[in-house]
Amino acid sequence: MLQRWRGLAARERGMLLLMFLAIVGAGLWVGWWEPLQKQRTHWQGELPRLRAQQQELQGLLSTAQRQQQAAELDTAALRTQLQASGLNRYITLDDAHGRWQLAVRDAPADALWNWLLPVLADPAAPLQELKLERTGDPNMAVARVSGTIVMGQGNGGGGTQ
């Protein structure tokens, strides 16, 4: 191969080198430069869309965090809920040792359950103990209950008894 190369005229060697450089250049263009340009063009179109999505998601996240902070259950909110449902006459709330103890005395069962079920669905108030029994005349149309309800505050655990 080397003898053949030396046997070529200078002009032929120059043309072969030029052709070789053109082929290498075209190969680099097609195999490296053009894909880079396509990728650059693609990301120039995608980045504004992704930035807009990021801003929208940040807005949603901050809204969700504000709602979560506003929805946290505390003793004052629990008392307000009891008063709004008309159960504050029947339930005494004691806030001690990181939990709420509610003493129920002769409360209407339907009103108590209508208030209690949504409250217990909130993970901020896990049920730890529930002891209720029917009180009053068994022939009454509206059942009345008495007993105790113990709920944890925050992420406290505990099962139901």
Side-chain angles (χ1 to χ4, degrees):
M1 182 90 142
L2 191 57
Q3 283 179 348
R4 225 171 130 89
W5 178 257
R6 289 182 187 155
L8 294 175
R11 183 175 178 195
E12 290 173 338
R13 282 188 214 163
M15 285 196 315
L16 283 174
L17 281 175
L18 185 61
M19 189 178 356
F20 175 74
L21 290 176
I23 290 172
V24 168
L28 284 174
W29 179 269
V30 171
W32 180 66
W33 184 256
E34 195 172 6
L36 282 178
Q37 289 300 316
K38 285 182 182 178
Q39 190 175 30
R40 181 176 175 256
T41 305
H42 168 75
W43 284 114
Q44 280 179 337
E46 282 291 308
L47 283 176
R49 183 183 65 82
L50 291 173
R51 285 188 181 117
Q53 285 180 348
Q54 178 192 17
Q55 289 174 350
E56 187 175 332
L57 288 173
Q58 283 178 339
L60 289 173
L61 179 62
S62 65
T63 301
Q65 287 173 340
R66 283 194 305 270
Q67 288 175 347
Q68 183 181 9
Q69 290 170 351
E72 286 182 5
L73 193 60
D74 61 1
T75 305
L78 200 55
R79 289 186 196 278
T80 303
Q81 288 180 3
L82 286 170
Q83 188 171 9
S85 63
L87 292 171
N88 58 333
R89 301 184 299 252
Y90 307 105
I91 298 177
T92 306
L93 175 62
D94 182 30
D95 180 9
H97 308 294
R99 62 185 193 166
W100 294 299
Q101 186 165 355
L102 292 86
V104 181
R105 287 189 209 95
D106 207 30
D110 57 344
L112 178 67
W113 288 116
N114 288 339
W115 168 78
L116 187 59
L117 291 176
V119 170
L120 294 179
D122 184 358
L127 181 65
Q128 293 179 347
E129 183 181 331
L130 177 65
K131 292 181 183 178
L132 295 175
E133 61 183 43
R134 185 174 179 151
T135 58
D137 184 8
N139 296 327
M140 290 176 27
V142 177
R144 300 233 174 234
V145 291
S146 295
T148 59
I149 302 169
V150 179
M151 296 185 295
Q153 294 179 7
N155 292 330
T160 60
Q161 292 185 356

